[in-house]
mmCIF file of all heavy atoms in Angstrom:
data_model
loop_
_atom_site.group_PDB
_atom_site.id
_atom_site.type_symbol
_atom_site.label_atom_id
_atom_site.label_comp_id
_atom_site.label_asym_id
_atom_site.label_seq_id
_atom_site.Cartn_x
_atom_site.Cartn_y
_atom_site.Cartn_z
ATOM 1 N N PRO A 379 -26.912 -25.226 -6.913
ATOM 2 C CA PRO A 379 -27.513 -26.464 -6.390
ATOM 3 C C PRO A 379 -26.488 -27.584 -6.207
ATOM 4 O O PRO A 379 -26.562 -28.351 -5.253
ATOM 5 C CB PRO A 379 -28.552 -26.822 -7.453
ATOM 6 C CG PRO A 379 -28.945 -25.502 -8.045
ATOM 7 C CD PRO A 379 -27.670 -24.693 -8.055
ATOM 8 N N ARG A 380 -25.519 -27.673 -7.117
ATOM 9 C CA ARG A 380 -24.504 -28.718 -6.988
ATOM 10 C C ARG A 380 -23.654 -28.504 -5.739
ATOM 11 O O ARG A 380 -23.383 -29.449 -4.979
ATOM 12 C CB ARG A 380 -23.600 -28.728 -8.223
ATOM 13 C CG ARG A 380 -22.548 -29.837 -8.147
ATOM 14 C CD ARG A 380 -21.406 -29.608 -9.099
ATOM 15 N NE ARG A 380 -20.364 -30.614 -8.900
ATOM 16 C CZ ARG A 380 -19.097 -30.446 -9.225
ATOM 17 N NH1 ARG A 380 -18.703 -29.303 -9.763
ATOM 18 N NH2 ARG A 380 -18.218 -31.401 -9.000
ATOM 19 N N ARG A 382 -24.458 -26.876 -3.055
ATOM 20 C CA ARG A 382 -25.273 -27.117 -1.853
ATOM 21 C C ARG A 382 -25.400 -28.613 -1.589
ATOM 22 O O ARG A 382 -25.371 -29.059 -0.433
ATOM 23 C CB ARG A 382 -26.659 -26.472 -2.006
ATOM 24 C CG ARG A 382 -26.617 -24.952 -2.029
ATOM 25 C CD ARG A 382 -27.965 -24.344 -1.696
ATOM 26 N NE ARG A 382 -29.004 -24.698 -2.656
ATOM 27 C CZ ARG A 382 -29.280 -24.012 -3.755
ATOM 28 N NH1 ARG A 382 -28.568 -22.931 -4.065
ATOM 29 N NH2 ARG A 382 -30.244 -24.387 -4.561
ATOM 30 N N ALA A 383 -25.533 -29.406 -2.660
ATOM 31 C CA ALA A 383 -25.601 -30.867 -2.495
ATOM 32 C C ALA A 383 -24.267 -31.412 -1.981
ATOM 33 O O ALA A 383 -24.241 -32.325 -1.142
ATOM 34 C CB ALA A 383 -25.976 -31.528 -3.814
ATOM 35 N N ARG A 384 -23.173 -30.858 -2.462
ATOM 36 C CA ARG A 384 -21.855 -31.287 -1.971
ATOM 37 C C ARG A 384 -21.700 -30.949 -0.495
ATOM 38 O O ARG A 384 -21.168 -31.747 0.289
ATOM 39 C CB ARG A 384 -20.757 -30.615 -2.788
ATOM 40 C CG ARG A 384 -20.691 -31.073 -4.229
ATOM 41 C CD ARG A 384 -19.756 -30.217 -5.046
ATOM 42 N NE ARG A 384 -18.369 -30.516 -4.765
ATOM 43 C CZ ARG A 384 -17.357 -29.718 -5.081
ATOM 44 N NH1 ARG A 384 -17.586 -28.560 -5.659
ATOM 45 N NH2 ARG A 384 -16.127 -30.065 -4.811
ATOM 46 N N ARG A 386 -24.073 -30.786 1.644
ATOM 47 C CA ARG A 386 -24.914 -31.751 2.370
ATOM 48 C C ARG A 386 -24.189 -33.089 2.504
ATOM 49 O O ARG A 386 -24.233 -33.742 3.565
ATOM 50 C CB ARG A 386 -26.240 -31.908 1.629
ATOM 51 C CG ARG A 386 -27.341 -32.611 2.447
ATOM 52 C CD ARG A 386 -28.675 -32.567 1.723
ATOM 53 N NE ARG A 386 -29.089 -31.191 1.469
ATOM 54 C CZ ARG A 386 -29.195 -30.643 0.246
ATOM 55 N NH1 ARG A 386 -28.915 -31.370 -0.829
ATOM 56 N NH2 ARG A 386 -29.581 -29.406 0.103
ATOM 57 N N VAL A 405 -28.210 -38.330 5.633
ATOM 58 C CA VAL A 405 -27.829 -37.083 4.960
ATOM 59 C C VAL A 405 -27.163 -37.388 3.622
ATOM 60 O O VAL A 405 -27.417 -36.724 2.610
ATOM 61 C CB VAL A 405 -26.882 -36.260 5.860
ATOM 62 C CG1 VAL A 405 -26.359 -35.048 5.114
ATOM 63 C CG2 VAL A 405 -27.596 -35.829 7.127
ATOM 64 N N MET A 406 -26.312 -38.400 3.602
ATOM 65 C CA MET A 406 -25.614 -38.760 2.367
ATOM 66 C C MET A 406 -26.578 -39.273 1.302
ATOM 67 O O MET A 406 -26.417 -38.980 0.111
ATOM 68 C CB MET A 406 -24.553 -39.818 2.663
ATOM 69 C CG MET A 406 -23.359 -39.319 3.447
ATOM 70 S SD MET A 406 -22.177 -40.662 3.700
ATOM 71 C CE MET A 406 -20.960 -39.862 4.741
ATOM 72 N N VAL A 407 -27.559 -40.055 1.705
ATOM 73 C CA VAL A 407 -28.555 -40.564 0.745
ATOM 74 C C VAL A 407 -29.307 -39.401 0.109
ATOM 75 O O VAL A 407 -29.552 -39.378 -1.104
ATOM 76 C CB VAL A 407 -29.526 -41.539 1.443
ATOM 77 C CG1 VAL A 407 -30.730 -41.831 0.551
ATOM 78 C CG2 VAL A 407 -28.806 -42.838 1.807
ATOM 79 N N GLU A 408 -29.647 -38.414 0.922
ATOM 80 C CA GLU A 408 -30.326 -37.224 0.409
ATOM 81 C C GLU A 408 -29.452 -36.497 -0.610
ATOM 82 O O GLU A 408 -29.935 -36.072 -1.674
ATOM 83 C CB GLU A 408 -30.671 -36.292 1.568
ATOM 84 C CG GLU A 408 -31.460 -35.059 1.157
ATOM 85 C CD GLU A 408 -31.715 -34.130 2.337
ATOM 86 O OE1 GLU A 408 -31.469 -34.538 3.486
ATOM 87 O OE2 GLU A 408 -32.157 -32.990 2.083
ATOM 88 N N ALA A 409 -28.168 -36.364 -0.301
ATOM 89 C CA ALA A 409 -27.247 -35.707 -1.235
ATOM 90 C C ALA A 409 -27.095 -36.518 -2.516
ATOM 91 O O ALA A 409 -27.036 -35.953 -3.617
ATOM 92 C CB ALA A 409 -25.885 -35.518 -0.568
ATOM 93 N N THR A 410 -27.046 -37.847 -2.388
ATOM 94 C CA THR A 410 -26.910 -38.722 -3.555
ATOM 95 C C THR A 410 -28.089 -38.541 -4.503
ATOM 96 O O THR A 410 -27.920 -38.478 -5.734
ATOM 97 C CB THR A 410 -26.812 -40.185 -3.103
ATOM 98 O OG1 THR A 410 -25.731 -40.330 -2.166
ATOM 99 C CG2 THR A 410 -26.565 -41.108 -4.290
ATOM 100 N N ARG A 411 -29.285 -38.426 -3.951
ATOM 101 C CA ARG A 411 -30.466 -38.197 -4.789
ATOM 102 C C ARG A 411 -30.385 -36.846 -5.495
ATOM 103 O O ARG A 411 -30.795 -36.715 -6.649
ATOM 104 C CB ARG A 411 -31.722 -38.269 -3.925
ATOM 105 C CG ARG A 411 -32.044 -39.680 -3.427
ATOM 106 C CD ARG A 411 -33.163 -39.650 -2.416
ATOM 107 N NE ARG A 411 -33.458 -40.986 -1.900
ATOM 108 C CZ ARG A 411 -34.069 -41.223 -0.748
ATOM 109 N NH1 ARG A 411 -34.462 -40.198 0.026
ATOM 110 N NH2 ARG A 411 -34.298 -42.456 -0.350
ATOM 111 N N SER A 412 -29.854 -35.868 -4.801
ATOM 112 C CA SER A 412 -29.703 -34.544 -5.423
ATOM 113 C C SER A 412 -28.755 -34.608 -6.608
ATOM 114 O O SER A 412 -29.021 -34.018 -7.662
ATOM 115 C CB SER A 412 -29.188 -33.533 -4.393
ATOM 116 O OG SER A 412 -30.120 -33.331 -3.353
ATOM 117 N N PHE A 413 -27.647 -35.341 -6.460
ATOM 118 C CA PHE A 413 -26.701 -35.470 -7.568
ATOM 119 C C PHE A 413 -27.354 -36.185 -8.753
ATOM 120 O O PHE A 413 -27.083 -35.837 -9.912
ATOM 121 C CB PHE A 413 -25.453 -36.238 -7.114
ATOM 122 C CG PHE A 413 -24.595 -35.493 -6.138
ATOM 123 C CD1 PHE A 413 -24.093 -36.119 -5.005
ATOM 124 C CD2 PHE A 413 -24.282 -34.155 -6.336
ATOM 125 C CE1 PHE A 413 -23.291 -35.434 -4.106
ATOM 126 C CE2 PHE A 413 -23.482 -33.460 -5.438
ATOM 127 C CZ PHE A 413 -22.991 -34.102 -4.322
ATOM 128 N N GLU A 414 -28.194 -37.168 -8.462
ATOM 129 C CA GLU A 414 -28.882 -37.865 -9.547
ATOM 130 C C GLU A 414 -29.850 -36.925 -10.266
ATOM 131 O O GLU A 414 -29.900 -36.891 -11.501
ATOM 132 C CB GLU A 414 -29.641 -39.074 -8.992
ATOM 133 C CG GLU A 414 -30.279 -39.936 -10.061
ATOM 134 C CD GLU A 414 -30.798 -41.251 -9.514
ATOM 135 O OE1 GLU A 414 -30.671 -41.482 -8.295
ATOM 136 O OE2 GLU A 414 -31.319 -42.045 -10.309
ATOM 137 N N ASP A 415 -30.601 -36.128 -9.490
ATOM 138 C CA ASP A 415 -31.538 -35.174 -10.085
ATOM 139 C C ASP A 415 -30.815 -34.104 -10.898
ATOM 140 O O ASP A 415 -31.329 -33.632 -11.925
ATOM 141 C CB ASP A 415 -32.373 -34.504 -8.994
ATOM 142 C CG ASP A 415 -33.320 -35.473 -8.291
ATOM 143 O OD1 ASP A 415 -33.617 -36.547 -8.876
ATOM 144 O OD2 ASP A 415 -33.747 -35.170 -7.157
ATOM 145 N N LEU A 416 -29.621 -33.714 -10.438
ATOM 146 C CA LEU A 416 -28.858 -32.669 -11.117
ATOM 147 C C LEU A 416 -28.067 -33.191 -12.310
ATOM 148 O O LEU A 416 -27.497 -32.398 -13.071
ATOM 149 C CB LEU A 416 -27.886 -32.015 -10.126
ATOM 150 C CG LEU A 416 -28.513 -31.184 -9.008
ATOM 151 C CD1 LEU A 416 -27.459 -30.847 -7.951
ATOM 152 C CD2 LEU A 416 -29.121 -29.909 -9.565
ATOM 153 N N GLY A 417 -28.028 -34.515 -12.477
ATOM 154 C CA GLY A 417 -27.244 -35.092 -13.567
ATOM 155 C C GLY A 417 -25.755 -34.930 -13.367
ATOM 156 O O GLY A 417 -25.027 -34.557 -14.294
ATOM 157 N N GLU A 418 -25.271 -35.209 -12.147
ATOM 158 C CA GLU A 418 -23.847 -35.103 -11.806
ATOM 159 C C GLU A 418 -23.305 -36.497 -11.487
ATOM 160 O O GLU A 418 -23.209 -36.910 -10.332
ATOM 161 C CB GLU A 418 -23.650 -34.165 -10.605
ATOM 162 C CG GLU A 418 -24.038 -32.733 -10.839
ATOM 163 C CD GLU A 418 -23.051 -32.003 -11.740
ATOM 164 O OE1 GLU A 418 -21.976 -32.586 -12.024
ATOM 165 O OE2 GLU A 418 -23.349 -30.869 -12.140
ATOM 166 N N ASP A 421 -20.106 -36.797 -8.999
ATOM 167 C CA ASP A 421 -20.474 -36.549 -7.602
ATOM 168 C C ASP A 421 -21.321 -37.694 -7.052
ATOM 169 O O ASP A 421 -21.190 -38.072 -5.883
ATOM 170 C CB ASP A 421 -21.238 -35.235 -7.490
ATOM 171 C CG ASP A 421 -20.349 -34.022 -7.707
ATOM 172 O OD1 ASP A 421 -19.208 -34.030 -7.223
ATOM 173 O OD2 ASP A 421 -20.798 -33.070 -8.365
ATOM 174 N N TRP A 422 -22.207 -38.229 -7.891
ATOM 175 C CA TRP A 422 -23.055 -39.362 -7.493
ATOM 176 C C TRP A 422 -22.191 -40.566 -7.115
ATOM 177 O O TRP A 422 -22.428 -41.238 -6.110
ATOM 178 C CB TRP A 422 -23.987 -39.711 -8.647
ATOM 179 C CG TRP A 422 -24.978 -40.808 -8.390
ATOM 180 C CD1 TRP A 422 -26.211 -40.700 -7.804
ATOM 181 C CD2 TRP A 422 -24.821 -42.196 -8.732
ATOM 182 N NE1 TRP A 422 -26.835 -41.932 -7.749
ATOM 183 C CE2 TRP A 422 -25.998 -42.870 -8.313
ATOM 184 C CE3 TRP A 422 -23.809 -42.932 -9.340
ATOM 185 C CZ2 TRP A 422 -26.181 -44.227 -8.501
ATOM 186 C CZ3 TRP A 422 -23.995 -44.304 -9.529
ATOM 187 C CH2 TRP A 422 -25.168 -44.926 -9.101
#
Side-chain angles (χ1 to χ4, degrees):
R380 182 198 174 204
R382 293 200 298 271
R384 292 170 75 197
R386 194 172 301 114
V405 174
M406 289 181 184
V407 168
E408 184 183 349
T410 305
R411 290 171 182 158
S412 296
F413 291 135
E414 185 169 1
D415 293 340
L416 292 168
E418 296 287 351
D421 289 320
W422 183 85

